[in-house]
Amino acid sequence: MSDTPDPAQLCERARALAENGDPGGAARLFEQVLDLGDTPHRARAALGLAVVLDDAGDVAGARAADRAAIATGDPEYGPRAAYHLALTHERAGERDQAAPAWRTVVEFGNPAYLPPARLALARIADDAGDFAAAREHWEEAVATGDPEYGTLAAHDLAQRLLERGEPARAQRVLTAGLKLIEPGGAPYAYARLAVALGIACLDQAIGAFGAALADGPADPEVAPLATELLARTLPLRGRGEEAREAWRRGLADPAVAGQVRARLRRDFAADEEEPGDPAALWWEPVLEGAAADGTLPAVAGEAFGALDHMYALLAVRKAEDTDAPADRRALAEAVQVPGAYAWGPLLHESFAERLRLALGAPADADRDPAAPDPA
C-alpha cells in the first residue's frame, strides 16, 4: 500500500480549510500537492494557493502561484489563474502588466473567460489611444454573446464610434448589444444601450439634415423643413451654437426665408382677432431672435422678473396708502424696471409712441418715457 498522499483529497481538504477560515492550513496543503510534481491536480492546487495567498496579502506569492498554474496549460485552471493574475495587476493599477495576463486568458480560448478578457484588453488599448485594437477586442466581446460583458463592450464601442462621427456603425453595434439581454432581466443595462441607440439615431439624423442643406441652391420644398429639423435636433446633442447658425442661414436665404420664419414661429401665439403683421409688435422680433438663439426661457424669465419687480413696487406703495407724489414716484420706479433688460428700450419706445398718439403730440426724441415724473 502506497503512503503517497492523494492530491485530489489534499485539494479538497485545502478547499474546506480555506472556506472555514484557515488560509494558512489551506496554503500548506496546496503546497504539498505542488511538491508532488506534475500531477493532474497541480493546476488546481496552484490556483488555490494563489487565491489564499492573495487573500492573506501575499500578492507576490499569489502571482507566482498563478504563473505556476498557467504553466501547466490546464484548459480550466490555466485561464482562471491568468484571470486572477490579471486582476491582481488591475487592482494595483498596473494595466501594462495586466495586459499580458489578459492576452493569456484569450490564448487559452476558454469561452467562460473570454468576455471579461476581451473587454479589459479593449479598454487598455483604448486608454493607450489604439482605437483599431480596442475596436477589435470590443467586437470580439460582443460576439461572445455574453449578456454582461458583451453589452458593456457594445456601449463602450458605440460611444467611441459616435465621438468619431460614425453613428450608423454605432447603431449596428448597439442593436447587436440589445439582442444580448432582455429588458426585464437587466433593465439598467438595457436602458443604457437603448438611450445610446437613440443618441446614435439623432446623430445620424443630424448628418442627414445637414447633407440636405449642403452648398448649392436651396430646394424651396425641402430646405425649410430640413432647416427646422436640424435646428431643433442639434440642441438635443448640446450643439446649440450650430442650431443658431442653422436658423440664421435659413432666415438669410431669400428663397426660403419666409417658410423658415414660419417654422421658427410655429409655437408663437397668434392674434386671431387682429391678424396683422406680427413684426409690428415690438416684442415679436425679440421672441423670434430668442427662438433662433435658443434663449426663449431666459427671455421669459426676464419678463416675469421685471413684472414681479414692478408689481412689488406698486403693491408696497398701495399698502402704505401714502400721498399722491409718492404714488407718482412709485409709478416712475415701476416704469423704469424693464430698462435693465436688453428688450427694455423697445418697451420704452413703444410706450412713448402710444403716449404720443394718445395725446396727439409730435414725436419728442429727447423725452425719456421712463424718466420719473418731476411733479
Side-chain angles (χ1 to χ4, degrees):
M1 182 175 179
S2 174
D3 293 333
T4 302
D6 182 352
Q9 291 183 359
L10 289 175
C11 286
E12 283 299 317
R13 287 169 54 195
R15 181 183 61 81
L17 288 173
E19 291 177 353
N20 289 310
D22 185 3
R28 286 189 291 274
L29 290 179
F30 283 133
E31 287 170 344
Q32 274 188 259
V33 176
L34 295 178
D35 290 340
L36 294 175
D38 190 15
T39 69
H41 298 279
R42 181 175 179 79
R44 179 185 177 187
L47 175 59
L49 178 61
V51 172
V52 295
L53 290 178
D54 188 27
D55 289 343
D58 184 359
V59 177
R63 290 174 177 172
D66 278 327
R67 294 188 185 96
I70 294 168
T72 67
D74 186 274
E76 172 60 25
Y77 294 103
R80 287 175 62 179
Y83 179 89
H84 182 263
L85 177 61
L87 290 182
T88 66
H89 287 299
E90 292 273 7
R91 191 174 61 222
E94 301 163 349
R95 305 200 75 185
D96 289 343
Q97 294 170 268
W102 288 123
R103 284 194 289 271
T104 300
V105 175
V106 172
E107 289 165 3
F108 270 102
N110 188 316
Y113 305 100
L114 284 177
R118 287 292 190 182
L119 179 62
L121 286 169
R123 290 177 171 176
I124 291 171
D126 183 49
D127 288 345
D130 188 349
F131 174 72
R135 179 174 183 168
E136 179 182 350
H137 288 301
W138 275 321
E139 289 175 344
E140 290 290 344
V142 175
T144 65
D146 187 85
E148 179 182 358
Y149 297 101
T151 53
L152 289 172
H155 187 271
D156 285 356
L157 176 54
Q159 289 293 107
R160 288 294 175 266
L161 289 170
L162 288 175
E163 292 170 5
R164 295 168 66 87
E166 301 180 62
R169 290 180 176 176
Q171 284 185 54
R172 290 194 291 270
V173 170
L174 291 165
T175 300
L178 284 168
K179 292 178 181 177
L180 303 180
I181 51 177
E182 293 294 332
Y188 296 133
Y190 193 91
R192 288 182 74 227
L193 290 181
V195 170
L197 178 59
I199 291 172
C201 291
L202 282 177
D203 282 1
Q204 190 172 20
I206 287 171
F209 300 146
L213 297 169
D215 294 339
D219 184 337
E221 294 185 6
V222 174
L225 174 60
T227 296
E228 179 184 14
L229 292 173
L230 179 62
R232 295 191 187 278
T233 305
L234 281 166
L236 298 177
R237 296 292 287 125
R239 297 161 66 178
E241 181 54 43
E242 294 176 62
R244 290 189 282 275
E245 180 57 29
W247 282 124
R248 284 194 289 267
R249 285 198 308 269
L251 293 171
D253 187 341
V256 297
Q259 295 182 62
V260 171
R261 177 166 282 105
R263 290 179 176 278
L264 174 63
R265 300 175 58 85
R266 184 189 298 277
D267 299 327
F268 286 20
D271 189 344
E272 298 180 357
E273 296 182 0
E274 298 183 14
D277 181 8
L281 302 174
W282 68 265
W283 59 84
E284 289 291 335
V286 173
L287 294 180
E288 187 175 295
D293 292 341
T295 57
L296 267 178
V299 171
E302 291 175 354
F304 280 114
L307 178 63
D308 183 70
H309 189 181
M310 294 165 70
Y311 180 85
L313 289 169
L314 298 175
V316 168
R317 188 60 60 192
K318 182 178 185 297
E320 291 176 350
D321 194 23
T322 56
D323 55 10
D327 290 342
R328 286 197 294 273
R329 284 195 298 275
L331 286 171
E333 291 173 2
V335 168
Q336 286 179 317
V337 167
Y341 302 96
W343 46 267
L346 295 175
L347 173 59
H348 292 164
E349 291 174 8
S350 174
F351 170 71
E353 180 64 13
R354 289 171 184 269
L355 181 62
R356 184 187 70 79
L357 293 174
L359 298 177
D364 182 3
D366 296 330
R367 173 64 173 146
D368 180 2
D373 190 331

